[in-house]
Amino acid sequence: MKNTERDVIDQLKDHLAEYLISQGIENEDGKLFTCINPQHDDSTPSCGVIPSNPQVFHCLGCETSGDIFHAAYWLEGLPITDKMFYHETLVELCKRFEIEYEPRELTEPEKEEFAKLRAFLDASNVIKSFSKDGIISKYVEEKGWNIDTAKLHGIGGIEKYDDYVNKMEALGHSKEYLTHEGFLRKDIFSRNNLIFTIHDSAGVPVAFAARNMKWKEGSDLSKYVNSSSWKRYTKGAMFYNLHNAVK
């Protein structure tokens, strides 16, 4: 059976450390390297592959996270969205890591679905990159939760809306796309909210639920706000931490 696009993407993510080494970036044993985010003038190496999740790199300076595809986009200009992602980026990376892949012409609905899933994954990583001494950490601690455990379970938030937008654009998503698909909703992506990543049963981020930390009994504010329903998510039918409940 031939690898599907999803199979190939999942397999390639495991080659992040190897890819970085091929680009002259040493990262073994948790070694930090100069951040590859072009918007970050990193004078002191502050980026590294996350030991507990080696498919992802994270910068302690600019709080940016990404995977092998973000790295290839920033280091080599390989497309991260649209048709060329499947017909150029996947083909090139599969060739390098000897993964069987024969590109096919995706339908427009498939392209839209893959693009939206990538945006949810990127947004989830951004909200989990909050600092340990900011307002989001304060909210987490008010709930009596451990900060690292909260991040592990997809809980986070944004401290500055503009910073969130800039990070999503740096990850390859246009502001027009983010606006159209609901990733710039200020009722969800607000510094007043704790944001919970909702995953499907396979652990793929497909939606967000935001809890307004300024809400009080009798307030006109909404206590919870969810992402809009779409093909992979139906409000009321999927719940936070579902992927762990079914393991």
Side-chain angles (χ1 to χ4, degrees):
M1 182 181 296
K2 292 183 179 180
N3 286 327
T4 66
E5 286 80 9
R6 178 52 54 190
D7 293 333
V8 167
I9 289 171
D10 289 342
Q11 290 178 53
L12 284 170
K13 286 181 178 180
D14 289 332
H15 291 276
L16 171 62
E18 188 178 350
Y19 172 78
L20 292 172
I21 290 174
S22 75
Q23 298 299 305
I25 299 174
E26 300 297 327
N27 62 89
E28 298 93 334
D29 302 320
K31 181 179 180 180
L32 296 179
F33 51 86
T34 300
C35 184
I36 60 176
N37 178 0
Q39 294 187 357
H40 181 198
D41 184 13
D42 190 13
S43 58
T44 303
S46 55
C47 193
V49 175
I50 300 175
S52 61
N53 185 8
Q55 292 186 343
V56 177
F57 64 83
H58 178 73
C59 178
L60 300 171
C62 67
E63 300 290 346
T64 292
S65 298
D67 57 25
I68 187 173
F69 304 112
H70 299 110
Y73 172 62
W74 285 334
L75 294 171
E76 300 185 81
L78 292 178
I80 200 169
T81 58
D82 301 325
K83 177 180 178 179
M84 295 311 295
F85 172 73
Y86 304 97
H87 287 261
E88 181 177 336
T89 302
L90 291 188
V91 170
E92 176 60 28
L93 293 179
C94 283
K95 180 180 178 181
R96 295 184 197 180
F97 297 109
E98 299 181 343
I99 296 173
E100 183 180 352
Y101 173 57
E102 184 176 336
R104 64 181 176 85
E105 189 62 38
L106 298 177
T107 65
E108 285 304 315
E110 286 177 321
K111 293 177 186 177
E112 293 171 4
E113 181 178 357
F114 277 124
K116 194 160 186 173
L117 289 173
R118 171 157 292 280
F120 270 114
L121 177 61
D122 288 344
S124 178
N125 285 330
V126 171
I127 68 167
K128 291 185 294 183
S129 67
F130 61 91
S131 65
K132 291 193 174 184
D133 58 357
I135 187 66
I136 305 304
S137 291
K138 179 182 177 182
Y139 292 154
V140 171
E141 290 170 346
E142 285 178 359
K143 302 293 288 186
W145 301 331
N146 175 274
I147 291 175
D148 291 332
T149 301
K151 290 184 177 186
L152 181 65
H153 289 281
I155 301 171
I158 61 172
E159 293 167 341
K160 294 182 180 179
Y161 181 79
D162 288 344
D163 285 351
Y164 162 74
V165 176
N166 290 337
K167 287 177 181 178
M168 290 297 288
E169 287 188 294
L171 290 169
H173 308 283
S174 70
K175 187 175 290 186
E176 180 181 12
Y177 175 81
L178 294 171
T179 301
H180 183 267
E181 296 298 331
F183 291 97
L184 299 188
R185 285 177 53 182
K186 291 187 176 181
D187 57 341
I188 293 179
F189 301 100
S190 163
R191 73 188 307 269
N192 293 331
N193 294 342
L194 266 182
I195 305 174
F196 300 78
T197 304
I198 298 175
H199 303 77
D200 64 14
S201 58
V204 177
V206 294
F208 295 108
R211 202 287 194 189
N212 192 319
M213 297 301 289
K214 301 295 184 182
W215 179 89
K216 293 182 179 179
E217 194 72 41
S219 170
D220 291 334
L221 299 172
S222 296
K223 186 176 182 180
Y224 288 100
V225 179
N226 287 59
S227 298
S228 299
S229 297
W230 66 293
K231 178 181 179 180
R232 299 287 290 267
Y233 167 70
T234 302
K235 287 192 290 186
M238 295 178 67
F239 303 95
Y240 170 70
N241 224 20
L242 169 68
H243 60 303
N244 286 322
V246 300
K247 287 182 180 178

